[in-house]
Amino acid sequence: MGLITDLYKKNFLLRFDKDEAIPYYSADDFPGLVCERGSFRNTAGVTIRYFTYYYEGYDPDRLILFCPGIGPGHTAYLAEIETLCRAGRRVLTLDYTGCGESGGHRLPSANVPTRDAMELLDLLHPEEEIIPVGHSLGGYTALNLAHLLSTVTRAVILSGFVSISDEMMGFVKLRILADRVKRFEKKLDPQYGALDNRAYLKTTADRLLWIHSMDDPMVNYKYNAGQVRKIGNPNVRVITAEHKKHNPQYSTEALETMNAWIGGYERLLREKQLETPEARKAYFADKPVARMTAQDSAVYEEILRFIEA
């Protein structure tokens, strides 16, 4: 496939684990939050870990399937998950192949999260209405689930992409190169890599809520949410954010704090000033995770209104 797919594999199809120095929430940080854990072996023989979070008194008629973005698993999204739980929802989530607590040497393709999520739902057979909510790669996964499953009639997509070629357009700018990655993904996963979400978005009667920042450097607005808006399907609502980059669900202060702290951490790593695990942990010792992950209440008002309708 050539240079473009070699670069894609090198930068995207990796093993994603936590940096143990960076603070992440756990269920123990939220009094009363229940975490139930489970696992299964997917069709590739990889052990997939999944988790269900809730507070007592949750709504039994709806189940949120939270689809994480690329990275070290679902715990990077516990602020989002807990916010939904605090609003009375039960949330099912998972670590994809090659991510977090799940097995696998690497993330095999951009469509493996869809396969893992489909197999999880097939295993559990939830009786409640399933509402996928996903961010970034998880937004693409949530879109795929709405496309594939007749039992899913609405989904929330945060900073998601329409297809892997539309995601790549934000980086390569040439459709011929972006489509080459799409063909590569189809080769990696003939079933899910062949999905045509553009056709689905034009005609679907499913209700979708798409939230995207216009200055997103990771998933270009023009080729994704902007394209969806131009399609003009009245069942698909696009909400734009300003100056939220890749995380419109975060408060402005949290984004500024996270960018400053993580940016400083990465700079010191490059300068080889944090060469031991102790030094890296010390950097974050006075930096509470809550300051970096505070959620935007206005965004969640829109999400919860959509979920509850």
Side-chain angles (χ1 to χ4, degrees):
M1 283 278 184
L3 178 62
I4 187 68
T5 51
D6 287 342
L7 290 171
Y8 175 71
K9 288 190 291 183
K10 181 179 179 181
N11 291 283
F12 192 83
L13 303 184
L14 309 171
R15 172 76 205 181
F16 294 95
D17 291 302
K18 291 180 186 178
D19 181 334
E20 295 299 332
I22 298 175
Y24 291 96
Y25 279 128
S26 73
D28 294 338
D29 293 310
F30 303 101
L33 182 65
V34 177
C35 174
E36 296 176 347
R37 305 165 64 93
S39 66
F40 70 98
R41 291 180 72 83
N42 68 10
T43 51
V46 175
T47 298
I48 302 299
R49 308 288 181 185
Y50 64 91
F51 312 82
T52 306
Y53 291 89
Y54 59 89
Y55 287 108
E56 295 298 332
Y58 64 83
D59 178 0
D61 296 324
R62 299 180 178 93
L63 175 66
I64 306 299
L65 173 61
F66 191 89
C67 304
I70 194 169
H74 79 285
T75 53
Y77 289 90
L78 267 185
E80 286 87 337
I81 290 167
E82 192 277 334
T83 300
L84 293 166
C85 291
R86 190 162 16 96
R89 307 298 158 207
R90 190 164 68 108
V91 180
L92 171 67
T93 188
L94 72 161
D95 289 353
Y96 311 130
T97 299
C99 302
E101 294 186 31
S102 289
H105 297 298
R106 59 185 175 85
L107 182 72
S109 84
N111 293 285
V112 156
T114 300
R115 183 176 295 278
D116 287 342
M118 290 282 287
E119 292 184 11
L120 173 60
L121 293 175
D122 187 57
L123 171 74
L124 298 180
H125 292 295
E127 295 183 358
E128 311 97 315
E129 179 189 4
I130 304 160
I131 305 176
V133 177
H135 174 255
S136 191
L137 175 61
Y140 170 65
T141 301
L143 176 64
N144 287 345
L145 294 173
H147 184 169
L148 289 163
L149 295 172
S150 61
T151 52
V152 172
T153 60
R154 51 182 165 166
V156 179
I157 297 148
L158 296 162
S159 308
F161 45 91
V162 174
S163 73
I164 192 62
S165 59
D166 294 297
E167 157 66 348
M168 292 305 296
M169 278 295 291
F171 298 96
V172 300
K173 307 301 181 185
L174 293 173
R175 182 59 70 177
I176 189 172
L177 295 178
D179 286 346
R180 191 170 296 169
V181 177
K182 170 74 171 176
R183 291 196 300 273
F184 177 61
E185 275 286 342
K186 185 176 178 180
K187 181 179 178 182
L188 292 174
D189 192 326
Q191 181 179 5
Y192 297 114
L195 281 179
D196 183 358
N197 284 329
R198 293 179 203 168
Y200 163 74
L201 287 162
K202 288 178 182 178
T203 61
T204 184
D206 295 338
R207 294 172 52 238
L208 305 177
L209 177 62
W210 197 303
I211 304 175
H212 210 123
S213 182
M214 298 184 73
D215 65 339
D216 190 331
M218 301 300 295
V219 179
N220 186 280
Y221 170 84
K222 175 182 176 181
Y223 301 111
N224 293 285
Q227 176 184 187
V228 174
R229 174 167 275 175
K230 284 184 178 180
I231 288 172
N233 185 331
N235 297 310
V236 183
R237 183 185 178 201
V238 176
I239 298 177
T240 57
E242 299 284 350
H243 311 301
K244 289 293 196 74
K245 296 192 180 294
H246 195 46
N247 294 97
Q249 73 275 26
Y250 280 29
S251 72
T252 300
E253 182 181 357
L255 283 171
E256 291 173 351
T257 302
M258 179 176 65
N259 290 335
W261 288 356
I262 299 296
Y265 177 65
E266 291 175 346
R267 176 181 56 79
L268 291 173
L269 287 176
R270 289 192 301 271
E271 294 173 355
K272 298 185 177 180
Q273 296 188 43
L274 300 174
E275 294 195 297
T276 67
E278 293 76 17
R280 291 191 286 273
K281 287 184 178 181
Y283 173 85
F284 286 104
D286 62 346
K287 296 174 175 61
V289 63
R291 288 276 304 278
M292 294 189 285
T293 59
Q295 304 292 293
D296 187 322
S297 60
V299 170
Y300 278 90
E301 285 177 12
E302 295 286 356
I303 293 172
L304 292 168
R305 189 179 299 120
F306 175 81
I307 290 171
E308 292 164 1

